[in-house]
């Protein structure tokens, strides 16, 4: 018997989440059974703990889009019992039962080995949000971003993606301007390495101007909506925005075409869900090398399975700071 956070739906379509006892035979069929140690709370988890938001295929459901743990049994040659592994993406926790569980059964191809130099807790402090932040930084560098050309903007900076992006960019030597709607997180963000705090309202007013002053040499954007419309008009010539999320809304507003035509700005979409194995391994290696572990620790808020219904609601309201690490065995 093991414990998991199970979300179910009643006849009226109302969902509820509670910690339940399950048997191994309840898990879906797949190659590898993992004794989960840690999972995390990402924005998508908030959606899946609640009404699903179109992400959950079938109820009852176990959310948790990422986890780290130890292989318990494997019918795939790539893994043997005792191996430490990490999972992010592949719609685990959405279409397939996820990491809010002391046991998980998944396809071997969805896993990567625990990166050298990181513990299962540290990889989950990074989690899907942090992996995505690293993929965004790598994409910006692949498109020519280098240090010494002015500030790099990070939006939604006090959230999960934004916190890791801020810490990684600062440790690489970039000047980071962190956008937040929570002024009380200023000390936290400067502690992660931000050299400037930009109040959210400075970037959310929609203007009719086709372009504004050239301010940013790169941007990791977790927010989209009105803010992305403004940011695009403020990018320096030939720079890139790595767009990872839409915490501020799905529509981009404003006179959109001008930054692309007149300033050669690139808009790079970042998706961590279907990343090939080699990219995942490369991103985790970069995290182990470029993310200072003391800064990672400063982002962490510990949690248990029982805390998840509240935390899921909080993250959808933009009220979670940094990264929540769920000890599923606590
Ligand atoms: P968080 O909730 O931790 O962070 C989002 C942050 O955005 C908030 O903390 C807040 O930061 C800011 N924010 C929230 N609402 C608004 C708003 N209405 N207007 C402006 N800013 C707002 O989520 P994550 O960092 O985990 O994820 C961020 C986004 O990235 C989500 O949309 C998520 O789905 C997406 N994502 C995408 C991935 C991919 O593979 N592409 C992977 C992981 C996440 P502050 O208080 O500092 O302003």
């Amino acid at each position: 018997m093991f414990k998991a956070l199970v979300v179910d739906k009643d006849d009226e379509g109302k969902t509820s989440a509670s910690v339940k006892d399950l048997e191994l035979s309840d898990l879906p069929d797949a190659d590898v059974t993992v004794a989960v140690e840690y999972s995390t709370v990402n924005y998508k988890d908030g959606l899946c703990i609640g009404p699903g938001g179109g992400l959950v295929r079938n109820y009852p459901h176990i959310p948790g889009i990422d986890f780290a743990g130890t292989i318990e049994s494997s019918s795939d040659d790539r893994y043997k019992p005792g191996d430490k592994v990490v999972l992010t993406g592949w719609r685990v926790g959405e279409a397939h039962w996820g990491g809010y569980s002391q046991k998980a059964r998944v396809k071997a191809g969805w896993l990567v080995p625990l990166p050298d130099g990181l513990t299962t807790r540290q990889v989950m402090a990074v989690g899907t949000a942090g992996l995505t932040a690293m993929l965004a930084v790598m994409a910006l560098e692949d498109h020519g971003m280098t240090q010494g050309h002015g500030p790099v903007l990070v939006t939604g900076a006090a959230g999960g993606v934004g916190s890791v992006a801020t810490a990684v960019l600062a440790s690489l030597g970039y000047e980071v301007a962190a956008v937040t709607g929570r002024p009380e997180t200023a000390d936290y963000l400067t502690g992660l390495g931000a050299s400037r705090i930009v109040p959210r309202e400075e970037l959310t007013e929609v203007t009719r101007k086709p372009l504004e002053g050239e301010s940013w040499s790169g941007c990791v954007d977790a927010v989209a909506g009105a803010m992305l419309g403004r940011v695009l008009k403020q990018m320096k010539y030939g720079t890139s925005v790595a767009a990872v999320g839409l915490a501020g809304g799905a529509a981009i507003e404003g006179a959109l075409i001008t930054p692309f035509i007149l300033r050669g700005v690139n808009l790079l979409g970042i998706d961590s869900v279907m990343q090939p194995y080699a990219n995942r391994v490369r991103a985790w290696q970069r995290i182990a090398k470029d993310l200072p572990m003391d800064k990672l620790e400063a982002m962490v808020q510990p949690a248990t399975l029982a805390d998840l219904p509240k935390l899921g609601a909080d993250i959808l309201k933009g009220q979670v700071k940094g990264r929540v690490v769920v000890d599923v065995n606590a």
Side-chain angles (χ1 to χ4, degrees):
M1 203 132 76
F2 64 91
K3 294 200 181 302
L5 184 86
V6 179
V7 182
D8 214 344
K9 201 173 220 174
D10 67 19
D11 294 342
E12 286 157 12
K14 194 165 173 294
T15 52
S16 59
S18 59
V19 178
K20 293 203 164 133
D21 289 323
L22 299 182
E23 302 287 345
L24 278 178
S25 56
D26 294 322
L27 290 171
D29 277 341
D31 321 328
V32 172
T33 304
V34 180
V36 178
E37 291 164 25
Y38 297 99
S39 184
T40 84
V41 180
N42 295 275
Y43 194 86
K44 268 187 184 171
D45 294 316
L47 296 172
C48 294
I49 293 170
L55 298 172
V56 176
R57 287 285 165 77
N58 295 302
Y59 291 91
H61 176 66
I62 298 177
I65 67 167
D66 49 22
F67 62 79
T70 304
I71 300 282
E72 197 163 275
S73 64
S74 169
S75 60
D76 186 288
D77 291 345
R78 285 170 284 186
Y79 296 103
K80 59 179 190 320
D83 289 347
K84 298 277 184 188
V85 289
V86 188
L87 181 139
T88 62
W90 303 113
R91 305 213 61 212
V92 171
E94 303 174 45
H96 187 96
W97 280 9
Y100 292 166
S101 175
Q102 292 170 340
K103 309 280 177 192
R105 198 172 282 146
V106 293
K107 289 189 181 171
W110 294 343
L111 298 167
V112 297
L114 189 72
D116 283 346
L118 295 178
T119 64
T120 48
R121 184 176 175 280
Q122 285 168 329
V123 283
M124 281 298 101
V126 176
T128 302
L131 180 74
T132 307
M134 191 73 235
L135 290 166
V137 172
M138 286 162 57
L140 291 173
E141 290 182 339
D142 288 347
H143 283 77
M145 183 177 77
T146 51
Q147 296 91 340
H149 295 280
V152 176
L153 195 70
V154 175
T155 70
V161 174
S163 293
V164 177
T166 299
V168 166
L169 286 163
S171 87
L172 289 170
Y174 290 93
E175 187 189 334
V176 180
V179 186
T180 183
R182 289 179 276 178
E184 67 277 15
T185 63
D187 286 348
Y188 164 74
L189 291 168
T190 49
L192 296 182
S195 46
R196 182 168 149 200
I197 307 299
V198 181
R200 185 191 293 178
E201 54 279 10
E202 277 187 23
L203 289 172
T204 43
E205 191 192 332
V206 178
T207 80
R208 291 169 61 87
K209 290 183 189 165
L211 289 170
E212 299 182 56
E214 294 183 49
S215 299
W216 318 115
S217 65
C219 172
V220 176
D221 176 53
V223 165
M227 194 179 300
L228 181 53
R230 282 297 295 280
V231 168
L232 284 168
K233 294 179 203 174
Q234 299 178 359
M235 298 304 295
K236 294 190 180 205
Y237 186 87
T239 57
S240 305
V241 175
V244 311
L246 34 78
I252 311 177
E253 297 169 48
L256 268 184
I257 203 72
T258 38
F260 302 111
I261 295 173
L262 297 179
R263 290 213 181 128
V265 171
N266 302 300
L267 181 57
L268 314 172
I270 306 299
D271 171 42
S272 66
V273 177
M274 308 302 278
Q275 282 290 322
Y277 179 85
N279 286 3
R280 286 169 197 267
V281 171
R282 190 163 75 97
W284 281 115
Q285 285 168 346
R286 284 281 313 262
I287 286 164
K289 184 164 82 64
D290 294 333
L291 177 60
M293 289 301 124
D294 58 330
K295 289 191 180 172
L296 182 63
E297 201 47 50
M299 296 174 205
V300 171
Q301 176 185 338
T304 66
L305 289 176
D307 298 326
L308 286 166
K310 178 176 184 314
L311 287 164
D314 287 350
I315 200 164
L316 296 182
K317 289 185 252 164
Q319 288 174 355
V320 170
K321 187 177 86 179
R323 299 280 303 134
V324 178
V325 177
V326 185
D327 179 347
V328 300
N329 298 298

